């Protein structure tokens, strides 16, 4: 519960007026600074409610929430929100403002001078891969995926330490979504923001999160790394949801470099090769497609440093 | 053509009366509009935000909308008598429905997610109102105000019937004396005022809807 935690939920409960049972029930959760945490669960399980309590769009009915060690009720609500980026599925760009003006929302509230704001806007557009000539366009002139890029840029404009994202890629087609996920993962790795990311897509949760929260009916079922979740599901619910019996899914989460063994014989011409950060799933594919007995694993310089065989992968399954 | 030159001569000969009537006409129209704006814009916003308020208020004003302007004038007469004040009340009642209803619709039309993201980023309520809600409601609000202006400018003519003065005086006189030229002294400026306000508001409308047309 110390300063290395960005967000701490301490027995937080939310029961909506007239509701028969709480939407979030006595939930405790400590999120480390710089972590990318995905929140996974079926519709109506309380993901959005959990998320929106952090920036006080929803007020908890019990318990305590702190951000960087500080009780969020002690900070003026608008100040709190200015320091936390917020992205929603519907994006919610301001249709009457240009892209530039949208991104500058928080800098304008904070009263930055024009030069600083403009510099920041350009920086952010570059970060989220938007061409700078989009600056003077209006939101409706952009595609859904581009709009969400603006949404992310806008949320990051005030350089918040924390980003809250509620199914940000939920309404976007699969191909564009993959691209957005990859780009956003890059951004997060580069900037080390603490991200709380709601999704109901299992693959998305496991791919993006370095920690995953699985929720059901207002309670957290498990808080673990993707691999931990897949290999040691806490209960039947998690097991079902994550499809832990899915071998491919598990292989997807393990890097080649983690399981490789020393070369048993020197590399030969034409043997399949993968780089160390590729998943075991790709390794399996190579083994099957190329009909080779082993796959060589390369280091960053492209030198083969280890090998993987079907036997090793079998052991994983 | 005779009637036109006749009207022109009449204006030259009675320039003081003409300018006075024009002044009264514009004053009464603007006053009615101003009062309607001050009352109906906040009321419309309140209705858009509080559903329980909107049902009775909207029903009342929609009913008011159906009553023809002349009927309102006639109804006011036994209550307030004649003169500037009752005419002003009648015109204000006339200006209210389009302003109120369109303000309400304008604010209701704003996407709730736009408001959620605005407050989620830490905009204050006042700032949201000024920077987000007003600009987004503006196209519909302007359309409502335009309707009200044109209606009031035209109906202010009828104010003369209950002694409110204005350009309508010439129309009544012209009618009673069977003098078409005098009638035109009232009718032409009224028509011009109405057209001018249409044009002014069309320009404002274009500005506020720029983001919708790109
Ligand atoms: N404003 C509200 N008033 C009353 N009940 C609410 C409100 N918001 C959410 N709930 C209830 O709380 C529960 C959790 O809702 P929540 O929106 O957190 O679910 P979710 O996990 O985000 O679902 P989804 O994946 O569909 O977005 C649901 O049963 C919902 O009906
Ligand atoms: Mg939700």
């Amino acid at each position: 519960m110390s300063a290395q935690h960005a967000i701490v939920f301490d027995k937080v409960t939310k029961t909506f007026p007239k509701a028969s049972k709480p939407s979030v029930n006595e939930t405790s959760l400590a999120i480390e600074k710089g972590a990318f945490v995905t929140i996974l669960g079926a519709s109506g399980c309380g993901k959005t409610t959990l998320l929106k309590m952090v920036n006080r769009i929803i007020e908890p009915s019990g318990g305590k929430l702190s951000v960087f060690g500080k009780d969020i009720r002690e900070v003026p609500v608008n100040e709190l929100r200015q320091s936390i980026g917020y992205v929603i599925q519907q994006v919610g760009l301001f249709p009457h403002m240009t892209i530039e003006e949208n991104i500058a929302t928080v800098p304008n509230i904070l009263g930055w001078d024009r030069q600083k704001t403009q510099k920041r806007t350009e920086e952010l557009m570059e970060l989220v891969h938007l061409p700078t000539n989009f600056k003077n366009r209006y939101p409706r002139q952009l595609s859904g995926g581009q709009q969400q890029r603006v949404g992310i840029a806008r949320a990051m404009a005030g350089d918040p330490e924390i980003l809250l994202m509620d199914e940000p890629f939920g309404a976007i087609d699969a191909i564009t979504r993959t691209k957005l996920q990859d780009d956003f993962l890059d951004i997060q790795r580069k900037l080390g923001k603490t991200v709380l990311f709601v999704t109901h897509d299992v693959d998305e949760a496991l791919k993006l999160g370095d920690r995953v929260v699985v929720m059901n009916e207002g309670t957290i079922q498990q808080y673990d790394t993707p691999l931990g979740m897949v290999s040691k599901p806490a209960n039947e619910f998690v097991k079902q949801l994550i499809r832990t019996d899915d071998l491919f899914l598990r292989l997807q989460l393990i890097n080649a470099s983690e399981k490789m063994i020393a070369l048993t014989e020197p590399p030969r011409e034409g043997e399949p090769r993968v780089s160390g950060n590729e998943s075991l799933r790709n390794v399996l594919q190579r083994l099957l497609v190329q009909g080779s007995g082993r796959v060589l694993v390369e280091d960053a310089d492209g030198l083969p440093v280890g090998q993987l065989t079907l036997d090793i992968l079998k052991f994983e399954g | 053509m005779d009637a036109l030159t006749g009207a022109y001569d009449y204006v030259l000969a009675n320039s003081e009366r003409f300018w006075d009537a024009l002044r009264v006409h514009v004053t009464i129209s603007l006053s009615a509009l101003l009062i309607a704006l001050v009352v109906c814009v906040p009321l419309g916003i309140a209705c858009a935000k509080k559903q329980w308020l909107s049902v009775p208020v909207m029903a009342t004003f929609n009913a008011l909308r159906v009553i023809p302007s002349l009927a309102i004038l006639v109804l006011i007469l036994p209550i307030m008598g004649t003169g500037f004040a009752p005419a002003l009340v009648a015109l204000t009642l006339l200006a209210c429905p389009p302003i109120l209803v369109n303000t309400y619709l304008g604010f209701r039309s704003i996407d709730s997610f736009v408001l959620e993201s605005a407050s989620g980023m830490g905009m204050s309520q006042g700032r949201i109102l000024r920077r987000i809600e007003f600009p987004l409601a503006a196209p519909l609000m302007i359309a409502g105000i335009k309707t009200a202006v044109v209606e009031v400018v035209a109906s202010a003519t009828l104010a003369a019937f209950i002694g409110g003065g204005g350009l309508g005086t010439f129309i009544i006189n012209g009618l009673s004396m069977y003098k078409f030229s005098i009638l035109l002294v009232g009718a032409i400026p009224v028509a011009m005022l109405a057209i001018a306000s249409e044009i002014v508001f069309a320009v404002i409308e274009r500005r506020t809807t720029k983001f919708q047309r790109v």
Side-chain angles (χ1 to χ4, degrees):
Chain A
M1 305 282 151
S2 59
Q4 88 241 27
H5 287 124
I7 309 170
V8 177
F9 295 79
D10 185 10
K11 297 209 185 70
V12 173
T13 295
K14 175 66 191 185
T15 310
F16 285 102
K18 292 183 195 141
S20 56
K21 58 184 172 71
S23 298
V24 170
N25 196 4
E26 287 212 18
T27 293
S28 297
L29 179 67
I31 290 165
E32 270 171 47
K33 190 166 180 297
F36 194 142
V37 176
T38 49
I39 305 176
L40 183 60
S43 186
C45 70
K47 306 182 293 291
T48 297
T49 309
L50 190 73
L51 189 82
K52 286 185 182 175
M53 285 192 283
V54 179
N55 62 358
R56 295 182 61 188
I57 290 188
I58 294 176
E59 292 286 351
S61 26
K64 194 182 116 182
L65 247 156
S66 2
V67 165
F68 293 112
K70 203 161 182 190
D71 188 332
I72 55 169
R73 282 167 301 192
E74 284 165 14
V75 191
V77 64
N78 285 334
E79 230 167 83
L80 175 80
R81 290 173 179 172
Q82 285 152 27
S83 70
I84 298 177
Y86 185 50
V87 183
I88 53 178
Q89 180 178 340
Q90 300 81 0
V91 195
L93 294 182
F94 307 135
H96 61 300
M97 293 186 186
T98 60
I99 300 312
E100 187 175 25
E101 291 167 335
N102 265 284
I103 296 176
T105 303
V106 172
N108 285 338
I109 302 175
L110 298 175
W112 291 12
D113 68 53
R114 193 195 293 202
Q115 229 171 358
K116 186 176 169 193
T117 305
Q118 195 169 353
K119 190 160 157 277
R120 181 75 183 142
T121 313
E122 281 166 12
E123 228 171 72
L124 284 161
M125 290 186 72
E126 197 180 309
L127 184 72
V128 300
H129 299 310
L130 281 170
T132 36
N133 63 356
F134 278 20
K135 256 185 359 189
N136 297 321
R137 293 207 188 175
Y138 287 93
R140 55 183 292 266
Q141 295 171 291
L142 270 55
S143 72
Q146 291 166 339
Q147 288 188 19
Q148 195 54 286
R149 286 177 192 271
V150 179
I152 293 170
R154 184 175 68 167
M156 300 182 64
D159 206 11
E161 281 309 314
I162 296 174
L163 284 173
L164 305 177
M165 309 179 87
D166 194 352
E167 304 197 30
F169 310 141
I172 290 163
D173 70 85
I175 296 170
T176 313
R177 192 188 316 145
T178 307
K179 187 86 183 64
L180 277 167
Q181 288 168 346
D182 294 340
D183 288 353
F184 185 65
L185 212 47
D186 269 355
I187 293 173
Q188 200 267 348
R189 292 205 176 121
K190 210 178 319 176
L191 303 179
K193 304 287 180 197
T194 307
V195 180
L196 209 51
F197 186 110
V198 167
T199 174
H200 59 238
D201 177 340
V202 178
D203 296 329
E204 185 173 68
L206 297 177
K207 170 181 175 183
L208 295 181
D210 39 53
R211 296 266 163 158
V212 183
V213 173
V214 171
M215 283 187 82
N216 187 31
E217 298 190 354
T219 27
I220 293 182
Q221 307 293 313
Q222 190 170 355
Y223 178 42
D224 210 334
T225 60
L227 189 56
M229 188 90 40
V230 173
S231 45
K232 290 188 282 303
N235 56 36
E236 199 53 35
F237 178 84
V238 178
K239 214 169 173 172
Q240 295 275 324
L241 182 76
I242 308 272
R243 309 187 310 265
T244 50
D245 47 358
D246 186 339
L247 172 62
F248 286 104
L249 187 63
R250 211 179 307 175
L251 292 179
Q252 173 113 49
L253 295 169
I254 306 174
N255 283 348
S257 57
E258 291 173 41
K259 294 292 166 187
M260 66 184 182
I261 56 165
L263 293 169
T264 49
E265 49 188 286
R268 283 188 305 266
E269 190 75 14
E271 276 186 307
R273 293 172 170 221
V274 298
S275 68
N277 58 15
E278 272 186 68
S279 71
L280 290 189
R281 188 181 158 151
N282 289 359
V283 173
L284 179 64
Q285 197 168 357
R286 293 295 189 84
L287 285 172
L288 296 178
V289 172
Q290 306 202 344
S292 153
R294 66 172 186 177
V295 168
L296 302 176
V297 182
E298 296 175 337
D299 66 5
D301 301 323
L303 295 171
V305 287
Q307 66 178 40
L308 283 160
T309 60
L310 207 52
D311 280 338
I312 303 171
L313 299 189
K314 256 188 208 150
F315 186 69
E316 272 316 304
Chain B
M1 213 55 216
D2 277 355
L4 272 182
T5 44
Y8 187 63
D9 290 340
Y10 183 90
V11 170
L12 287 184
N14 303 277
S15 69
E16 204 167 313
R17 273 193 62 203
F18 174 78
W19 290 114
D20 204 44
L22 183 65
R23 192 177 51 75
V24 170
H25 200 98
V26 171
T27 310
I28 201 168
S29 303
L30 282 182
S31 311
L33 269 168
L34 218 61
I35 298 170
L37 280 175
V38 168
V39 174
C40 292
V41 169
L43 190 59
I45 296 173
C47 286
K49 302 205 165 182
K50 303 270 178 252
Q51 206 49 47
W52 58 266
L53 190 64
S54 75
V55 178
V57 174
M58 285 304 137
T60 311
F61 278 85
N62 271 323
L64 203 61
R65 207 171 202 178
V66 196
I67 308 175
S69 40
L70 189 58
I72 291 186
L73 286 171
V74 173
L75 286 172
I76 289 282
L77 198 58
I79 305 168
M80 295 190 65
T82 58
F84 184 88
L88 180 61
V89 170
L91 290 177
T92 306
L93 284 178
L94 207 64
C96 277
I99 295 177
L100 180 80
V101 172
N102 279 36
T103 303
Y104 170 77
L105 292 177
F107 274 75
R108 290 283 297 179
S109 71
I110 301 172
D111 186 349
S112 64
F113 295 112
V114 166
L115 298 178
E116 184 184 322
S117 64
S119 58
M121 278 185 294
M123 277 197 182
S124 65
Q125 285 308 309
R127 197 180 174 91
I128 292 177
L129 191 67
R130 276 178 285 121
R131 301 286 178 96
I132 311 289
E133 293 179 296
F134 264 116
L136 287 176
L140 273 168
M141 286 176 75
I142 300 290
I145 296 169
K146 180 171 86 175
T147 309
V149 169
V150 174
E151 221 167 296
V152 164
V153 166
S155 302
T157 321
L158 302 172
F161 281 105
I162 59 171
L167 294 166
T169 324
F170 299 114
I171 298 179
I172 296 175
N173 289 348
L175 282 174
S176 59
M177 295 190 291
Y178 293 108
K179 278 222 172 123
F180 193 53
S181 57
I182 297 184
L183 189 144
L184 286 184
V185 172
I188 292 175
V190 168
M192 277 165 36
L193 277 178
I195 293 169
S197 8
E198 280 264 15
I199 293 171
V200 168
F201 277 94
V203 172
I204 301 176
E205 227 168 355
R206 270 191 75 80
R207 288 211 172 166
T208 57
T209 55
K210 183 167 170 253
F211 70 93
Q212 296 173 336
R213 287 179 287 107
V214 285

